[in-house]
Amino acid sequence: LKTAGTRPSGFIDVTVGVPNPDSVDVEQVQRELPVGEVTVCAVEGGLRVPGADTLLACAAITVLVED
């Protein structure tokens, strides 16, 4: 969404699937995407590997850019 000399308006929608949605810092995710209107939703999903400290998150990002 960043172009030379201009910043187009647009929308970014992020859905993050993790085993514990309350652990996602939604505001931090929004700050990482500083262009356009950003919405972030954390939902139950992802994967916690049994017997390990491994956690996998799955994210879906939809971007709409307006000229």
Side-chain angles (χ1 to χ4, degrees):
L1 289 175
K2 295 180 183 178
T3 59
T6 64
R7 294 184 73 156
S9 62
F11 301 92
I12 301 173
D13 180 65
V14 180
T15 301
V16 182
V18 292
N20 183 8
D22 293 334
S23 68
V24 176
D25 186 342
V26 171
E27 291 178 358
Q28 178 63 38
V29 175
Q30 288 174 324
R31 284 191 298 270
E32 295 298 323
L33 302 163
V35 177
E37 182 179 326
V38 179
T39 59
V40 177
C41 179
V43 298
E44 190 170 335
L47 175 68
R48 183 180 309 275
V49 178
D53 289 335
T54 303
L55 177 74
L56 301 175
C58 182
I61 302 171
T62 304
V63 178
L64 170 68
V65 178
E66 297 177 334
D67 291 329

